[in-house]
Amino acid sequence: MPWIDACALVDIEEEDLVRLDHEGRTYAIYRIWDEEVYCTDGLCTHEKVHLADGLVIDHTIECPKHNGQFDVRTGIAIRSPACEALSTYPARVADGRVLVEIP
Amino acid sequence: MRLITFPMERDYSLTGPERQNAFQRGLAGADWYRTPVDRKVLKHLMKRTDWPATRDISIWVAVLVGSGAGGILFWGSWWALPFLFVYGVSYASAADSRWHECGHGTAFKTRWKNDVVYEFASFLMMRNSVVWHWSHARHHTDTIIVGRDPEIAGMRPPQLIVLCLNLFGIVAVPQGLVALARNAAGILPSDEADLIPETERRKAVRVGRIHIAIYVLVAFVSLWSWSLLPLVIIGLPRAYGIWLLLVMGLPQHLGLAEDVLDHRINSRTVLMSPILRFIYWNMNYHIEHHMYPMVPYHALPKLHEVVKHDLPAPNPSLWNAWSEIIPCVLRQLRDPRHFIRPQLPEGAGVWEPVQSNLTA
Ligand code: FES
């Protein structure tokens, strides 16, 4: 899978996320702290709501619709009504840019 | 205030014809209107902290314990009544909002604290914590969408006698106990099965069993000691203390539209005094809560300030809210299609939410 230049690191606040639409799919890119970044599918596995409107708390993303939570590092659902894991994708920072490896 | 009527007969079950109707009309799992809020502001409002809920839960527990102890101490004399009055309201009316906020997981930052209070308040409210967690999620997905929302309290035509009896839990308490007993027996009726995924059902049965076991034990102690007191302290307060919740909570949606994708039209924000807002944990800001369920109860007054330019004017008091609800509900007895349509302010966001293309 190719590495995609998603955005500048400064485009994402610490403890926050942005939405990335690519090839007809939606992803969520998280910046936890400094250069610690992660990438997951952008839609909640419960009811396909955009996670980009959600809240990042430590390493979890909370869905804006029913407060289901996922661990952004593993994609694992940690609070119902989110039960199914999110797919995760490699993400890194190079020269102030966030790169993600997505299909 | 504009009053509108349109023709339709309804079946409020989750497995009846209205379910299919909701899917066909794109109302199930649809996108809802939300007043835009700047992300930075929203992030600030959504911020979690343990402190306000720790303080408020401590006060609540202290009132519960203090008034309960008074009720026990003065049992047999009239002096027990004021204590039990406070105890009942704390037990049932105040537990509902604690149940609600901790069910959303927004009251505390620390997850286990939300979970502990949620389970405790679920027990006080005679609600299976698993069933109601999923039921409330659906209420947020499909608020007052007939055939989808299991939490429509104001069905049409209104069942006025039941609503009045439930001021003292006369119908709701036996119903709640039967629902728990059914779960304890391993049965999830079709409406509950429609909400709860396979993987969660065993948990629901386990919770039903725990609740029923406690109630049986309390009933046994009551019988054994030949005194009503154990039941007056555990179980019956759900009946004699619930009236205030209905007075505060029914206006959330009562008399407003069904089958719309805009919480400004089917929910109501009512301004209340600080004491009632403490008991109700700010759920009177109900449109705001539905638009942004991630905002904790303690930040709802601030959210109200941010979005109020786009919302119908709030009812200035409970009295005012009930003054519009009662005539509407009485008219619904004759004309179930009647409802109140709140007036949006000039320049309010356009109500053109995207409908869903989900199929049943
Ligand atoms: S849509 Fe995400 S938790 Fe329900």
Side-chain angles (χ1 to χ4, degrees), chain B residues 68 71-73 75 84 218 222 225-234:
Chain B
I72 294 169
L73 212 65
W75 181 245
L84 291 176
V218 175
S222 229
S225 60
W226 205 242
S227 163
L228 252 189
L229 184 59
L231 282 166
V232 166
I233 296 299
I234 300 171

Side-chain angles (χ1 to χ4, degrees), chain B residues 197-344:
Chain B
E198 209 69 63
T199 48
E200 297 279 294
R201 292 183 187 170
R202 275 176 59 172
K203 236 192 281 174
V205 171
R206 194 173 61 228
V207 169
R209 287 180 181 159
I210 294 170
H211 284 206
I212 288 295
I214 298 172
Y215 289 124
V216 167
L217 181 71
V218 175
F220 178 77
V221 173
S222 229
L223 216 58
W224 177 72
S225 60
W226 205 242
S227 163
L228 252 189
L229 184 59
L231 282 166
V232 166
I233 296 299
I234 300 171
L236 283 179
R238 167 65 182 79
Y240 68 77
I242 201 70
W243 60 272
L244 183 58
L245 172 64
L246 299 194
V247 172
M248 293 186 301
L250 281 176
Q252 287 178 353
H253 306 285
L254 198 57
L256 297 170
E258 295 171 340
D259 293 352
V260 293
L261 300 178
D262 188 336
H263 293 112
R264 298 173 301 177
I265 308 299
N266 72 4
S267 309
R268 192 183 268 110
T269 286
V270 182
L271 302 183
M272 292 185 193
S273 70
I275 292 180
L276 289 184
R277 284 199 289 114
F278 173 79
I279 294 171
Y280 200 31
W281 261 17
N282 286 332
M283 266 312 111
N284 52 308
Y285 295 107
H286 211 64
I287 304 175
E288 294 83 345
H289 166 66
H290 268 285
M291 275 189 179
Y292 292 102
M294 304 185 68
V295 173
Y297 75 96
H298 50 81
L300 284 175
K302 283 189 210 134
L303 177 61
H304 172 71
E305 291 304 318
V306 173
V307 297
K308 68 180 182 189
H309 65 277
D310 198 36
L311 271 44
N315 293 84
S317 64
L318 266 176
W319 179 262
N320 177 277
W322 280 103
S323 307
E324 75 175 24
I325 291 169
I326 289 171
C328 172
V329 167
L330 290 177
R331 185 163 158 193
Q332 284 176 345
L333 289 173
R334 286 177 282 116
D335 176 8
R337 291 129 194 152
H338 174 73
F339 67 96
I340 301 164
R341 175 153 188 185
Q343 195 71 55
L344 292 176

Side-chain angles (χ1 to χ4, degrees), chain B residues 16-90:
Chain B
E18 290 290 358
R19 170 194 160 88
Q20 193 62 35
N21 185 29
F23 279 103
Q24 276 166 1
R25 294 169 64 205
L27 297 171
D31 271 349
W32 286 66
Y33 178 81
R34 283 205 304 188
T35 300
V37 175
D38 177 74
R39 174 84 186 154
K40 269 202 169 72
V41 175
L42 191 58
K43 260 180 72 179
H44 178 69
L45 292 170
M46 293 191 295
K47 205 161 180 57
R48 301 297 153 74
T49 155
D50 279 346
W51 164 241
T54 305
R55 177 198 60 208
D56 293 344
I57 292 289
S58 306
I59 297 172
W60 176 54
V61 171
V63 172
L64 259 181
V65 171
S67 56
I72 294 169
L73 212 65
F74 292 106
W75 181 245
S77 89
W78 291 106
W79 285 108
L81 282 184
F83 287 100
L84 291 176
F85 175 83
V86 174
Y87 181 71
V89 166
S90 315

Side-chain angles (χ1 to χ4, degrees), chain A residues 12-18 30 50-56 61-62 64, chain B residues 34 36-46 292 294:
Chain A
I12 320 177
E13 280 186 24
E14 285 178 336
E15 271 214 299
D16 206 2
L17 76 161
V18 293
Y30 311 86
H50 283 283
L51 293 170
D53 294 330
L55 179 68
V56 177
I61 172 68
E62 185 174 301
Chain B
R34 283 205 304 188
V37 175
D38 177 74
R39 174 84 186 154
K40 269 202 169 72
V41 175
L42 191 58
K43 260 180 72 179
H44 178 69
L45 292 170
M46 293 191 295
Y292 292 102
M294 304 185 68

